[in-house]
Amino acid sequence: MQQLTPKISVLMSVYNGSAYLQESIESILHQTYSDFEFIIIDDCSTDKSAAIIAKYAQKDRRIKLITNQTNIGLTKSLNKGLTLAQGKYIARQDADDISYPARLEKEVLVLEKSADIGLVSCNINLIDSQGNSLGKLDRACDTDIVGWYLLFYNRLAGHSQVMFRRQLVIKLGGYDEARLYSQDYELWCRLINVSNIAILPEILLKQRRHADSISASKSLEQKRYSLEQSQQNIEGLINREINLEQVKYLRGFWLGHCYPDRFPDPKSIERLNPTLIELYQAFIQSKNKQHNAVPDLSQTLQLIISQQFALWIQSPLTRKQGLITKIRVSYLASSWCSSAIFSSWLVMLKNTIPTLAKVIFRPLADLKSISQINKSTRS
């Protein structure tokens, strides 16, 4: 029997989202975990969104339709939802995304079992406007290093797949209403300072990419807000100013294995290494001040930095940079952790040997063919 006060409040804000709204709502209503209320805020939509929500609200009492009198935007709508929510936990859901049936069940289990976890996320399956798969966003990693990645970019890779403790976020002041975009990234960066964030290694959400989404239609504004947040993170850690161009290169360094065109050029990578050292030292120092500092975090961080250099060497855009450049970057990688660079060179050699074999043996094959043609002609 469902409790009077639900365990989870699912929070959705909708503005002209009728194209995908029905599928998104049903993905929540069909969850294996049923103890939730579903707060849907219609932010003055001019399409059929309000009618669609009303139809479902009549069928399922868990849905609570809230209609804004004026359009106040996503950030303020989410804060409004936080104040109306009754659940211990908040699960976000965007109007164009689809949650897998076990998402709520698996995420609430993490929060119930681990008091030190303030927010739980998961891996994501990207889909297009028609629902076709575009690939996987694999963002799962050790909880101890989520904070490191958040320095540079939104490691969680979205908003619609998370579940967090309501009172914790309210205590933090909720979403920053000065942020029109990347409000989720800004909140995660505050939350990581007072609680841990876990990213499950399972795909529990289909995130839709389409031309009308905020990330597509407002990409330049969103990128600016996001980069400024990264700049704020980095400056706060090392206690000095850093320009946005450096922030952009640092972000490209950490996202280059997913988006090769973002990897910085070789000279920029060499210039960034001293900053990486500075950030690494400051990050470890800040963790050591905490009572729950993790053993071997220093070695773990050195390894992932070295591995990222190794991934740069293997990336398609750097295969033509020349041997000298690869050796110089390999030296940087080995200065962090020598074992990672060995595996990288083995991969490169594995890819290079077949090409070398073709270069060496193709002329011999051509000579053999010419010889056979000559014999045939003489006979």
Side-chain angles (χ1 to χ4, degrees), residues 156-171:
L156 279 58
H159 200 177
S160 193
Q161 79 285 358
V162 305
M163 183 184 293
F164 54 79
R165 300 181 189 276
R166 180 172 62 90
Q167 285 300 330
L168 176 62
V169 169
I170 289 176
K171 188 176 180 180

Side-chain angles (χ1 to χ4, degrees), residues 218-236:
K218 302 292 183 180
S219 60
L220 291 178
E221 294 96 326
Q222 190 174 52
K223 184 178 180 181
R224 178 173 62 83
Y225 275 91
S226 180
L227 281 173
E228 287 175 354
Q229 180 60 48
S230 298
Q231 182 183 36
Q232 181 179 321
N233 297 341
I234 293 169
E235 290 180 345

Side-chain angles (χ1 to χ4, degrees), residues 138-156:
D138 187 354
R139 296 299 173 85
C141 62
D142 291 342
T143 301
D144 310 320
I145 60 172
V146 174
W148 171 261
Y149 288 120
L150 282 175
L151 287 170
F152 310 105
Y153 66 99
N154 187 355
R155 177 72 183 189
L156 279 58

Side-chain angles (χ1 to χ4, degrees), residues 41-58:
I41 300 174
D42 177 44
D43 195 20
C44 295
S45 297
T46 57
D47 62 359
K48 298 179 181 179
S49 294
I52 293 172
I53 302 167
K55 180 188 70 174
Y56 279 99
Q58 289 178 349

Side-chain angles (χ1 to χ4, degrees), residues 147-371:
W148 171 261
Y149 288 120
L150 282 175
L151 287 170
F152 310 105
Y153 66 99
N154 187 355
R155 177 72 183 189
L156 279 58
H159 200 177
S160 193
Q161 79 285 358
V162 305
M163 183 184 293
F164 54 79
R165 300 181 189 276
R166 180 172 62 90
Q167 285 300 330
L168 176 62
V169 169
I170 289 176
K171 188 176 180 180
L172 288 171
Y175 292 91
D176 183 356
E177 295 186 358
R179 304 276 177 151
L180 298 178
Y181 309 104
S182 292
Q183 60 279 104
D184 54 339
Y185 180 34
E186 189 277 335
L187 178 56
W188 313 157
C189 292
R190 279 186 285 137
L191 192 147
I192 197 66
N193 291 321
V194 298
S195 182
N196 287 324
I197 291 176
I199 306 177
L200 297 174
E202 300 178 67
I203 297 176
L204 299 177
L205 182 89
K206 294 180 181 179
Q207 185 184 95
R208 197 182 300 271
R209 299 289 177 90
H210 57 95
D212 296 327
S213 67
I214 291 177
S215 58
S217 61
K218 302 292 183 180
S219 60
L220 291 178
E221 294 96 326
Q222 190 174 52
K223 184 178 180 181
R224 178 173 62 83
Y225 275 91
S226 180
L227 281 173
E228 287 175 354
Q229 180 60 48
S230 298
Q231 182 183 36
Q232 181 179 321
N233 297 341
I234 293 169
E235 290 180 345
L237 181 62
I238 60 179
N239 198 28
R240 69 172 178 86
E241 292 184 356
I242 182 171
N243 63 55
L244 276 177
E245 195 67 16
Q246 288 177 292
V247 175
K248 182 179 177 181
Y249 283 141
L250 284 165
R251 175 174 291 188
F253 176 71
W254 286 104
L255 284 175
H257 61 291
C258 297
Y259 311 99
D261 59 321
R262 299 191 189 182
F263 263 127
D265 59 84
K267 291 182 180 179
S268 296
I269 282 188
E270 292 188 72
R271 288 196 299 267
L272 288 177
N273 195 53
T275 306
L276 282 172
I277 294 172
E278 186 180 8
L279 285 164
Y280 158 79
Q281 292 174 340
F283 186 79
I284 295 299
Q285 186 177 9
S286 69
K287 289 295 181 182
N288 287 338
K289 290 180 180 178
Q290 299 175 5
H291 296 295
N292 59 344
V294 180
D296 302 326
L297 177 60
S298 177
Q299 289 84 350
T300 300
L301 202 50
Q302 289 177 29
L303 176 61
I304 66 170
I305 294 172
S306 180
Q307 288 174 334
Q308 201 65 20
F309 275 110
L311 288 169
W312 180 91
I313 298 169
Q314 297 173 37
S315 68
L317 294 180
T318 57
R319 288 174 186 165
K320 297 181 180 181
Q321 293 291 340
L323 182 61
I324 299 299
T325 299
K326 288 183 172 61
I327 291 174
R328 290 170 67 181
V329 177
S330 297
Y331 173 75
L332 295 177
S334 62
S335 69
W336 289 97
C337 180
S338 58
S339 60
I341 199 62
F342 290 142
S343 60
S344 176
W345 275 91
L346 285 174
V347 171
M348 282 193 297
L349 288 172
K350 182 180 178 181
N351 294 332
T352 303
I353 287 173
T355 303
L356 288 174
K358 289 180 181 179
V359 172
I360 294 172
F361 295 112
R362 181 59 187 268
L364 295 177
D366 290 343
L367 286 173
K368 183 177 180 181
S369 298
I370 293 171
S371 176

